[in-house]
Amino acid sequence: DSTVSAFDDAYFYPRYGWGTSLNRFFDSSKFEIKNIALSGRSSKSFITEPEYQELLAGMKQGDYLFIGFGHNDEKTEVERYTNPNGNSTVEGSFANSLYENYIKPAEAVGCTPILMTPIVRRSDTGTFTNSQLHITTTATVGDVVFEGGDYAQAIRDLGNEVNVKVVDLTALTKELYEQLGASETLYLHAWLSSKEGSVDNTHTNIWGSIYNGYFIAKSIKEQGIAGLSEYVVDSMIQAAPAKSDYLVSNPSYVE
């Protein structure tokens, strides 16, 4: 989804999904990073896109598939919604969508899937609500009932159920944001203008993207994911990425 994808913004601090930063963290002589994430898609709606067919046609033995969904699966829209409750066998569930559409096809060709829980939505108070943690309540729109639940937990549970590794970006970003405080997490996120009030509390800027890439690489190293962890660039995970090293505004920005 958009927290993974690339953008071409005229923002002051443009949007960068974490997929745009992964190439910094893995040995480029061993891996080519191909980011086919799309903004606004859920695990359900992505399968209608040409990029999904590209994924199915391109996956092969020895590849690794990083799966990042959740922000849009919780939308109360029939085209995007998946139910956070139910395991991989329950049709219509988030777990079933992830398993049938991504994990199963990957494993069938010898590609190793890795699940990512969604990054938190930024809190401007430092205190997180359920919605910022991807925990929803049941809602009725027209005559359609959209059952609520915990999307990050659904991913954790799915990983345990089908023996797929999970990088818990929800927990990692929540801990980071609580440590930094709201006045500093401003600088992890995109700004539409040079005014901090224009901050986009969903999408990261380049520093936020690199920070999430750091979390992913560090977690993969710690979990010892065979064939991948040994190619993490160790120098990139020795210390967290510093704002002063990475945060830059758009040189073409016009107020």
Side-chain angles (χ1 to χ4, degrees), residues 148-222:
D150 189 332
Y151 284 83
Q153 191 58 47
I155 294 172
R156 299 181 193 111
D157 292 343
L158 176 63
N160 287 330
E161 179 194 348
V162 299
N163 195 29
V164 167
K165 297 292 188 183
V166 176
V167 174
D168 196 347
L169 287 174
T170 309
L172 290 166
T173 51
K174 179 176 183 286
E175 181 181 16
L176 172 67
Y177 284 35
E178 288 174 337
Q179 288 173 353
L180 292 179
S183 61
E184 186 67 4
T185 58
L186 270 171
Y187 298 100
L188 290 166
H189 280 256
W191 293 17
L192 280 71
S193 78
S194 60
K195 308 296 188 293
E196 66 180 43
S198 71
V199 65
D200 175 340
N201 287 327
T202 296
H203 301 102
T204 53
N205 61 33
I206 191 166
W207 183 42
S209 167
I210 292 168
Y211 224 123
N212 292 330
Y214 160 79
F215 281 143
I216 291 167
K218 196 165 185 287
S219 180
I220 285 170
K221 188 77 171 182
E222 289 169 350

Side-chain angles (χ1 to χ4, degrees), residues 29-54:
S29 71
K30 301 294 182 183
F31 293 96
E32 176 189 1
I33 310 294
K34 189 163 184 62
N35 184 10
I36 58 170
L38 295 172
S39 178
R41 274 59 167 196
S42 71
S43 66
K44 177 182 178 180
S45 68
F46 188 83
I47 67 172
T48 67
E49 303 292 344
E51 284 78 1
Y52 182 67
Q53 297 307 316
E54 179 184 357

Side-chain angles (χ1 to χ4, degrees), residues 85-101:
N85 306 293
N87 63 20
S88 66
T89 67
V90 178
E91 189 172 348
S93 72
F94 186 33
N96 178 258
S97 178
L98 291 171
Y99 180 68
E100 292 293 336
N101 296 325

